Amino acid sequence: MRREYFKAMANLELEQRLVEKAKRNPQDFNQLYELYFEKIYNFLLARCGQKELAEDITSQTFLNALEKIHNFKWRNVSFGAWLYRIAINNLNSHFRKNNRIILTEDENLNLLISQQTSADSAESDLEQRGRITELYQTIKKLSADEQNLIILKYFQHKSYQEIAKILKLSSNTVGVKLHRSLRKLKIVYHQKIK
Amino acid sequence: MDFLNEKNTEDLIVKDLQQLGQQLQQTNQAFKLALAHKLRAKVLSQFVNPVKKLCSLRWAWLTAPAALLLLVILAEAAEYSGLEIKPYQYLKTTVAPAVNRQIKITATAIIEEVKKIADNALKAKLNPATTQNKSAIQNKTVPNDLLELTSVNPLILFQPLTEQQQQILKEEIKSQLGKNEQMAPNLQPSLPAQQQDDYQYSLDFQPTEPLVLENDVADTFLNEADKLPESLPSADQEPVVKKLIDSPPTTDALVPPLTAPIKISYQPSENIKLEDVPPTTKAGEAAGTPSTIMTPPTPPSQPYSNINIPPAGQKSAGSITELGVAAPAEQANGQEKTECQNRFRLILKINDLSKIDDQFNNRIDGLDIEITEYYSSSQNLTIILTLPSSQYYELKKSLASLTARPDYFEEEIIYNEAKCQETVVTIYVNKRISFFEWLISNFR
């Protein structure tokens, strides 16, 4: 536990140095990009379920970050949390503008999951594939905040503190909300299976 | 059993969620590279060198001078038609010449510097030995004798003496006089006849203030000369005393006009003032030898026959005499007769009298100076007092050295007859309190 804490602190210090460097010379932003590209892209992919849209929002997020990095002030909140917030805002504004397109995302998601499961031969039984697809469809029926909580916790493996900083909530609130979201997911999921 | 089922389904969901997360972890290298490239391009386009950015604003470089020119044309046109644009006039009459002047000064300074550097470089090229000499001078390799000679500054002799020095000098002169009195019949004039005439003066001349200046300075010079005989001219050359007298007076005490020939005579009596002793020794004379040269006394029937007082130098009306400048031509009238005293009317110009009026009213009664009139208006305070020239010049001299000195004086001679003058002196006072403090403390 203590080792993890120190590791996190070291990461924070490193991140702070990288941010300062990028502020001085924007060409050093590349290091931050390398550090966070995968996480942001996967988060957005899981959140929207469309590869193209995830790419668009990711590129928009990093461009915004590059433009506004001079405004970023280090307040013991990681740069990653700031990036996640930008990504979530961009995605929300996109959904607000184009809410009709969301309907088509299921197909894409099924395609994505099927690509992954077929590649992994050990897990390629139909039952599990169907269950996972159902689970993902259930997640998509939750609210945006609940989706964010579940994706950040179970897909991105973030701690309560990290989630709290990304979503601007307290750690307790995150715990409570996550518990409620999971229960809701279970209920909907059971209903769907039955 | 339900609980167990519930627990199992929850675990199963969590497990499935984690698996789903793993399946959704994708690496999109092509997109990553493309985005990195896009970001780099953005960085390069966004953060351009500000100088380049400024230079790239061609429209600004073209339009700004054109707009300025147009504005100037419009302003000139308006001025021509009779319309006054004050900011433009200010810019035109004040700012532009000042900037021009500054540019000229800077340019000339730069040109001079460049010339100097170029000359030095040329000299160094042509004669490399000079640079060596320079360094030798810097290292103080100049012979000591030469240094001593060059360091003798004759100007230092004209500096006013301190009281202690004056006292020593007086005593020395007294002792010399004592000796001379005994030796008087045997003494022969050693100066040429012309020079003797120049330095004779009658004992009837009695200045109102003690004479300290040039004669004493001359004697100081003699003392100095005793110490440094090599650096001073020999007896055959022009006398040092003449040099001193020819030079302008440095202090404001009463001194007979130096431009006029004044006959000096020595009359041994007990009433002799030490200050009146003429400088008679020559620079080349050795210390210890009797140095005072005396001439036979002038017959008392013609006490003023040899005194030629030049006409009083009248200043033009309203002329401004700045403080610190040497005494004006009226100083020549310092030799006042006892029956005639020059009259100075002091007008003090100050902005606000309200603060000092009471204070001054309370204290003015205690002043020793003769105040014939005293009245004040809202803008100035006029004190009409009769001051002898010496006192006035002393006042003026003191004012010049005062920290709270007035800005300047205006002297206007309004009456000049039979060597008696009436002068209106307007003193512009800024730091009034300290000025009045000074005035009161000096004339109490």
Side-chain angles (χ1 to χ4, degrees):
Chain A
M1 191 72 179
R2 192 177 282 178
R3 195 178 290 171
E4 280 176 11
Y5 171 77
F6 282 120
K7 202 178 168 184
M9 287 303 290
N11 284 340
L12 269 180
E13 278 182 20
L14 176 74
E15 204 179 278
Q16 190 177 0
R17 247 177 272 155
L18 287 176
V19 170
E20 292 301 322
K21 236 172 128 182
K23 273 185 178 180
R24 281 196 296 272
N25 182 14
Q27 287 184 345
D28 289 332
F29 185 78
N30 191 39
Q31 288 167 314
L32 288 167
Y33 171 74
E34 289 288 337
L35 200 66
Y36 282 103
F37 172 77
E38 301 270 334
K39 291 174 186 174
I40 298 293
Y41 176 71
N42 285 324
F43 169 75
L44 288 169
L45 188 65
R47 186 71 175 73
C48 63
Q50 290 175 349
K51 206 178 165 185
E52 289 77 22
L53 183 61
E55 284 176 1
D56 282 352
I57 306 291
T58 306
S59 69
Q60 201 182 334
T61 303
F62 279 102
L63 285 170
N64 286 352
L66 179 65
E67 280 171 9
K68 307 282 178 187
I69 194 163
H70 293 284
N71 299 337
F72 176 73
K73 283 175 188 170
W74 191 268
R75 294 190 188 109
N76 281 332
V77 180
S78 71
F79 181 73
W82 187 60
L83 271 182
Y84 273 108
R85 224 177 288 157
I86 294 173
I88 291 166
N89 288 339
N90 284 339
L91 193 67
N92 288 344
S93 62
H94 173 81
F95 284 151
R96 227 176 290 131
K97 285 174 193 169
N98 318 293
N99 47 359
R100 286 178 193 172
I101 307 166
I102 300 168
L103 294 170
T104 57
E105 72 186 38
D106 287 350
E107 293 164 16
N108 283 313
L109 186 73
N110 290 337
L111 189 66
L112 270 175
I113 293 167
S114 64
Q115 279 172 355
Q116 287 295 105
T117 47
S118 59
D120 196 350
S121 58
E123 302 287 333
S124 62
D125 52 77
L126 281 171
E127 192 191 336
Q128 197 192 11
R129 190 179 154 184
R131 206 173 58 231
I132 287 171
T133 312
E134 284 295 325
L135 184 62
Y136 188 70
Q137 283 172 351
T138 316
I139 290 169
K140 298 308 284 178
K141 283 178 181 170
L142 298 175
S143 71
D145 287 342
E146 287 165 342
Q147 282 184 49
N148 288 336
L149 279 168
I150 287 169
I151 290 167
L152 287 170
K153 179 66 188 169
Y154 296 107
F155 294 7
Q156 302 268 315
H157 308 288
K158 300 281 181 194
S159 66
Y160 280 6
Q161 284 83 5
E162 285 172 314
I163 296 169
K165 280 172 183 172
I166 292 167
L167 299 177
K168 286 189 177 178
L169 299 168
S170 70
S171 300
N172 289 335
T173 317
V174 169
V176 171
K177 278 195 168 182
L178 194 66
H179 181 72
R180 284 178 192 163
S181 307
L182 210 59
R183 191 191 282 172
K184 194 175 171 184
L185 180 73
K186 199 166 61 181
I187 293 164
V188 177
Y189 183 60
H190 274 290
Q191 282 173 355
K192 212 168 188 182
I193 287 172
K194 282 175 186 175
Chain B
M1 191 65 188
D2 281 337
F3 173 75
L4 279 174
N5 276 339
E6 199 176 324
K7 181 78 180 160
N8 281 339
T9 48
E10 197 174 317
D11 287 346
L12 199 65
I13 285 171
V14 169
K15 203 180 169 185
D16 284 348
L17 277 172
Q18 281 169 353
Q19 207 158 4
L20 180 63
Q22 272 178 6
Q23 283 180 7
L24 287 171
Q25 296 289 323
Q26 291 191 354
T27 48
N28 195 342
Q29 282 299 325
F31 170 66
K32 191 181 174 182
L33 284 173
L35 185 58
H37 185 72
K38 198 176 173 183
L39 285 171
R40 205 170 300 129
K42 174 92 177 170
V43 165
L44 290 173
S45 67
Q46 192 180 357
F47 303 97
V48 201
N49 192 352
V51 180
K52 273 187 184 175
K53 215 173 187 179
L54 203 68
C55 291
S56 66
L57 297 172
R58 280 182 194 168
W59 62 270
W61 291 112
L62 288 172
T63 50
L68 199 67
L69 193 68
L70 192 71
L71 281 173
V72 169
I73 290 165
L74 283 173
E76 283 290 336
E79 210 170 59
Y80 184 72
S81 62
L83 191 70
E84 276 190 10
I85 303 166
K86 279 187 178 173
Y88 175 68
Q89 278 180 348
Y90 174 74
L91 284 171
K92 195 178 158 187
T93 56
T94 316
V95 178
V99 170
N100 268 342
R101 214 177 304 131
Q102 204 59 41
I103 288 167
K104 271 181 191 170
I105 290 164
T106 316
T108 47
I110 288 166
I111 288 164
E112 275 173 17
E113 281 298 313
V114 169
K115 271 184 185 172
K116 265 185 195 175
I117 291 162
D119 285 352
N120 286 343
L122 199 69
K123 275 177 191 172
K125 263 188 182 180
L126 290 172
N127 190 11
T130 49
T131 48
Q132 286 173 2
N133 282 344
K134 250 186 194 176
S135 61
I137 289 163
Q138 279 169 358
N139 295 331
K140 293 186 178 176
T141 52
V142 180
N144 285 335
D145 301 345
L146 188 63
L147 271 180
E148 274 176 16
L149 281 172
T150 50
S151 64
V152 175
N153 185 5
L155 283 175
I156 205 162
L157 300 169
F158 295 95
Q159 285 179 353
L161 297 173
T162 61
E163 282 183 14
Q164 203 181 350
Q165 281 174 325
Q166 283 177 16
Q167 201 63 38
I168 293 163
L169 201 62
K170 281 173 190 173
E171 280 173 14
E172 266 186 45
I173 292 163
K174 205 174 183 180
S175 65
Q176 290 284 345
L177 279 173
K179 282 178 191 173
N180 289 339
E181 273 181 53
Q182 292 166 1
M183 296 166 69
N186 303 327
L187 280 172
Q188 294 295 323
S190 59
L191 282 168
Q194 181 61 40
Q195 284 183 14
Q196 270 188 40
D197 286 344
D198 285 351
Y199 299 116
Q200 281 178 345
Y201 70 93
S202 168
L203 275 179
D204 290 329
F205 167 66
Q206 286 184 348
T208 50
E209 281 293 307
L211 261 179
V212 190
L213 286 170
E214 280 156 351
N215 296 340
D216 290 355
V217 169
D219 283 350
T220 321
F221 185 88
L222 294 177
N223 289 337
E224 295 272 345
D226 291 339
K227 288 174 194 169
L228 296 163
E230 298 89 3
S231 61
L232 293 168
S234 64
D236 300 326
Q237 290 172 339
E238 188 186 8
V240 178
V241 180
K242 191 168 189 302
K243 266 190 190 173
L244 285 166
I245 289 171
D246 287 340
S247 65
T250 51
T251 48
D252 290 336
L254 276 177
V255 177
L258 299 172
T259 48
I262 297 169
K263 290 244 174 182
I264 300 168
S265 62
Y266 174 66
Q267 193 174 29
S269 73
E270 287 182 3
N271 296 330
I272 288 171
K273 287 185 180 179
L274 285 172
E275 292 78 16
D276 297 342
V277 175
T280 48
T281 22
K282 285 182 189 174
E285 279 180 11
T289 55
S291 56
T292 314
I293 297 151
M294 287 165 284
T295 54
T298 319
S301 57
Q302 296 173 339
Y304 295 106
S305 60
N306 292 327
I307 296 174
N308 294 326
I309 298 170
Q314 289 188 5
K315 288 179 76 71
S316 60
S319 66
I320 294 168
T321 311
E322 282 189 23
L323 283 175
V325 177
E330 291 97 21
Q331 198 170 357
N333 290 338
Q335 309 158 10
E336 290 163 17
K337 291 176 189 174
T338 46
E339 64 269 17
C340 168
Q341 272 198 321
N342 288 346
R343 200 160 177 259
F344 289 91
R345 185 188 297 178
L346 299 185
I347 300 174
L348 306 173
K349 291 261 186 187
I350 47 182
N351 290 332
D352 183 19
L353 276 168
S354 58
K355 284 183 184 173
I356 46 113
D357 252 4
D358 296 336
Q359 194 185 9
F360 201 66
N361 279 332
N362 293 337
R363 294 190 187 186
I364 202 153
D365 299 333
L367 299 183
D368 281 343
I369 47 177
E370 188 190 340
I371 298 168
T372 47
E373 279 178 72
Y374 164 68
Y375 58 88
S376 66
S377 69
S378 62
Q379 283 301 312
N380 60 45
L381 172 70
T382 309
I383 309 169
I384 298 176
L385 36 82
T386 311
L387 282 176
S389 308
S390 62
Q391 215 171 357
Y392 169 66
Y393 288 120
E394 196 188 331
L395 165 76
K396 201 174 156 184
K397 187 183 154 193
S398 304
L399 284 175
S401 63
L402 202 67
T403 50
R405 61 174 177 265
D407 277 356
Y408 59 91
F409 283 50
E410 271 182 18
E411 286 174 353
E412 190 182 354
I413 297 164
I414 52 166
Y415 171 77
N416 184 14
E417 200 173 295
K419 292 162 194 168
C420 283
Q421 286 183 0
E422 188 172 348
T423 314
V424 173
V425 184
T426 312
I427 305 170
Y428 290 84
V429 187
N430 280 334
K431 296 175 183 173
R432 48 191 183 266
I433 300 292
S434 49
F435 170 72
F436 282 110
E437 288 292 339
W438 179 86
L439 196 67
I440 288 158
S441 64
N442 274 271
F443 287 92
R444 189 176 287 278

